[in-house]
Amino acid sequence: MSKGYRFFEQVNQAFDKAAAYTRFDKGLLSQIKICNDVLHVTFPLEKDDGSIETIHGWRVEHSHHKMPTKGGLRYSLTVNEDETMALAALMTYKCAVVNVPFGGAKGGICIDKSKFSKNEIERITRRYTYELIRKNFIGPGLDVPAPDYGTGEAEMAWIMDTYRQLNDELNAEGCVTGKPISQGGIRGRTEATGRGVYYGIMEACQNKEDMKELGMDQGLEGKTFVVQGLGNVGYHAAKYLIEGGAKLIGVAEIEGSIYNEKGIDLEELVRFRKETGSIVGFEDTRELGNNKKVMEVECDILIPAALENQINEENAGSIKAKIIGEAANGPTTTEAHDILKKRGALIIPDNYLNAGGVTVSYFEWLKNLSHVRFGRLGKRFEETSYRKILSVIENISDRKFTELELDYLAQGAGEYELVDSGLAETMITAYNEINELRKKHHVDLRTAAFINSIDKVGTIYESMGIFP
Ligand code: NAD
C-alpha cells in the first residue's frame, strides 16, 4: 500500500464529484455517504501447534436504505477498518447501479491465508460467523456475506453451517451466498463476477461511436488485453474475453509479470502455475520484472483484477491501454483516474463492472428464499411447447429436423441458462444507463455510475420521509 492511501476517502471523493449533479442537499448526501454500522471483532485462535493467535475481523454495514445488506468477505493482510468501510460503501453504490435491492456491506479478516492450515481457516471462519450472529450482523433478512478476495465456496459453506446450527429458521440457507451447489448455491455464481466483467467490456466495445473516439473498431474481436491477478475474477474475465475473440497478451501475478504479443494460452498458464507455483517461465513468454510492469505495455484493454491502489500516481502516466476495465474494487486512485482520463482512456468503473457477483448472489438468495431451483417448474413445459412449434413447421414446410437440431432448438431454460440470461440483461442494461448519463452530463463513467446510484438511494431516503 502506498503511504497515506485512504480507500474510504477515495470512494467519497468520487461520490462528491457526482453529488454535484444530483438534486439532494448536503444533509441527505452525508446520510448516504456515512457507514451505518461498523463492527470490529477480535478473538483467539488456537493454532494446530497449540499456540494462540489473536485474530482481527470487521463487518461494516454501509447503508440500511434497503435490507438485507450484502457484501463479500475478504481474507488478506490489507484488511483494516478503512478498507472494509470503503468496500462496504462501494457495495451500496454497485447494488444501486445494477438494481439489486440490497444495502451495501463488507467483511474482512486480517490474515495471510497461506500461513494457516485448512483446519485453522475453518476455525477462524466459524468463530467469525459466531461473532456476527451474537452481534446481529448476519441473517437472510439482515446482512448476507459472499466470497471476495481470499475466500470462496468452502468459507461460505462453513458460514452457512455455523449459522444454521444456531438458528433453526426456515430461510437459514439465505444467510450467505457463493455456497457450493449442494449447500444451496446456484449454478453460475463462481464465474459470475468475471462473466459480468466480460459482458460490461463487451457492451462498451459494441458502441461504435465510443470505439471510434478511442481509435478502435467496434467489437471485441482481435482486441488485446492484459490482466492483473489470475484469481477467481481475473481468470474468469480472461476466459470469457478470449471466448469473445479478444487476445490475452500479458498477465501479472504476485510473483511477477509475463508478456507475449502473439497471445498467451490461459488454460495452459493456469496448469503451469498450479504445477510450478508461478506464472514466470511459462512457455514463449517474456518476464517483465515486477508484478506491475506488464500493466504498462501497449494493449487495448487493461483489467486490474487483484486489489485496490494498483494504478496510482506512480504508474498511471506509463499505462497505455485505451480501456481500463476495473474488475477489482478500487484499483485506480483518484489521481490516477484523472491522469488516465486526461489521456482519453475509457475507464469502466468498479462500482459497475464487478457487479456481476452481487447480481448472481441476489439470484442465489432468491433461490434460497423460494426453496426451488430456477427452471425446475418451466423447463420441461418449454421444451414440449418448442417441439410442438417445430413439428408444425415441419408439417407446413419440406424441412425435417434431425434429433440433434430438435434437441438444440427445443431446449428449455435450466438454472444456468436463466442465471446467465439475468446476468447479461443486468450488466448490459446498466452499462447503457450509465453511458447515457456520461454523455448527458459530459462526465466519465465513474461519475455517471455514482450519479445513477446517488439518485436511486437518495430517492429512497426521500420517500421514507426522513428528510421532508
Ligand atoms: P482471489 O483471491 O480469487 O484472486 C486474487 C488474485 O490476485 C490472486 O491470484 C492473487 O495472487 C493475485 N494478486 C494479489 N496481489 C497481486 C498483485 N499485487 N499483483 C498481481 N496479482 C496479485 O480474489 P477475487 O475474488 O478474484 O477478487 C479480486 C478482486 O475482485 C478484489 O478486488 C475483489 O474485491 C474484487 N471482487 C471480487 C468478487 C468475487 O465475486 N469474488 C466480486 C466483486 C469484486
Side-chain angles (χ1 to χ4, degrees), residues 30-325:
S30 74
Q31 170 58 36
I32 298 174
K33 240 173 19 173
I34 209 157
C35 286
N36 289 167
D37 274 318
V38 180
L39 174 70
H40 178 191
V41 293
T42 54
F43 51 85
L45 165 77
E46 186 179 343
K47 297 193 74 179
D48 294 345
D49 64 6
S51 63
I52 305 281
E53 191 165 324
T54 302
I55 304 292
H56 288 260
W58 285 265
R59 185 76 189 168
V60 173
E61 293 175 359
H62 171 258
S63 178
H64 292 153
H65 75 287
K66 279 201 185 275
M67 292 295 278
T69 50
K70 185 97 189 71
L73 173 61
R74 174 176 287 197
Y75 288 1
S76 163
L77 283 179
T78 64
V79 169
N80 57 37
E81 196 157 298
D82 175 71
E83 183 190 78
T84 317
M85 286 167 74
L87 291 167
L90 276 175
M91 282 304 295
T92 294
Y93 308 132
K94 196 180 301 179
C95 288
V97 166
V98 291
N99 293 314
V100 164
F102 296 134
K106 202 78 181 191
I109 300 182
C110 183
I111 49 168
D112 175 353
K113 210 177 165 186
S114 66
K115 300 275 186 318
F116 295 88
S117 71
K118 188 169 172 244
N119 281 340
E120 289 166 346
I121 293 290
E122 176 172 352
R123 288 205 293 281
I124 291 171
T125 307
R126 287 186 182 277
R127 176 61 191 260
Y128 173 78
T129 309
Y130 174 74
E131 296 293 330
L132 296 185
I133 296 167
R134 271 188 356 117
K135 278 127 192 171
N136 250 355
F137 270 75
I138 185 170
L142 278 180
D143 188 355
V144 183
D148 190 69
Y149 186 97
T151 62
E153 284 189 349
E155 286 78 13
M156 302 307 120
W158 292 324
I159 292 173
M160 202 271 279
D161 186 54
T162 309
Y163 184 85
R164 202 170 39 185
Q165 299 302 327
L166 296 167
N167 296 275
D168 56 2
E169 59 188 89
L170 180 66
N171 292 325
E173 271 189 353
C175 74
V176 64
T177 59
K179 304 178 290 289
I181 307 276
S182 59
Q183 311 269 18
I186 195 164
R187 286 160 188 82
R189 173 60 184 92
T190 306
E191 58 270 50
T193 308
R195 188 140 176 89
V197 168
Y198 154 72
Y199 280 129
I201 293 176
M202 184 195 70
E203 192 56 17
C205 292
Q206 283 308 334
N207 191 310
K208 206 171 173 179
E209 193 185 310
D210 294 352
M211 287 305 104
K212 202 170 161 206
E213 259 175 49
L214 292 171
M216 293 197 285
D217 292 336
Q218 182 188 28
L220 264 183
E221 194 62 43
K223 289 205 166 51
T224 55
F225 74 100
V226 168
V227 64
Q228 186 206 30
L230 212 50
N232 178 309
V233 178
Y235 164 74
H236 287 107
K239 175 180 151 103
Y240 295 116
L241 283 168
I242 292 167
E243 281 178 19
K247 185 161 78 167
L248 175 66
I249 60 165
V251 177
E253 252 298 337
I254 288 195
E255 60 273 12
S257 55
I258 56 167
Y259 172 71
N260 180 356
E261 63 190 9
K262 294 205 177 88
I264 295 171
D265 184 328
L266 177 69
E267 299 306 328
E268 282 302 318
L269 175 63
V270 169
R271 211 164 297 143
F272 179 82
R273 187 170 191 242
K274 221 173 235 168
E275 274 167 28
T276 65
S278 173
I279 57 168
V280 177
F282 182 58
E283 60 179 14
D284 297 332
T285 61
R286 197 146 53 86
E287 193 187 347
L288 286 189
N290 75 34
N291 59 9
K292 275 205 187 134
K293 207 67 198 154
V294 76
M295 296 167 87
E296 299 173 11
V297 303
E298 289 278 356
C299 66
D300 296 318
I301 307 164
L302 170 63
I303 303 176
L307 283 169
E308 57 268 21
N309 190 21
Q310 296 303 302
I311 305 177
N312 48 38
E313 267 175 303
E314 283 160 29
N315 62 352
S318 312
I319 284 171
K320 299 170 193 75
K322 295 182 178 117
I323 298 176
I324 317 293

Side-chain angles (χ1 to χ4, degrees), residues 343-367:
R343 175 171 64 73
L346 179 71
I347 304 162
I348 312 180
D350 52 359
N351 56 335
Y352 154 72
L353 192 62
N354 66 35
V358 74
T359 302
V360 176
S361 273
Y362 168 46
F363 301 156
E364 179 176 332
W365 180 76
L366 291 174
K367 174 186 182 181

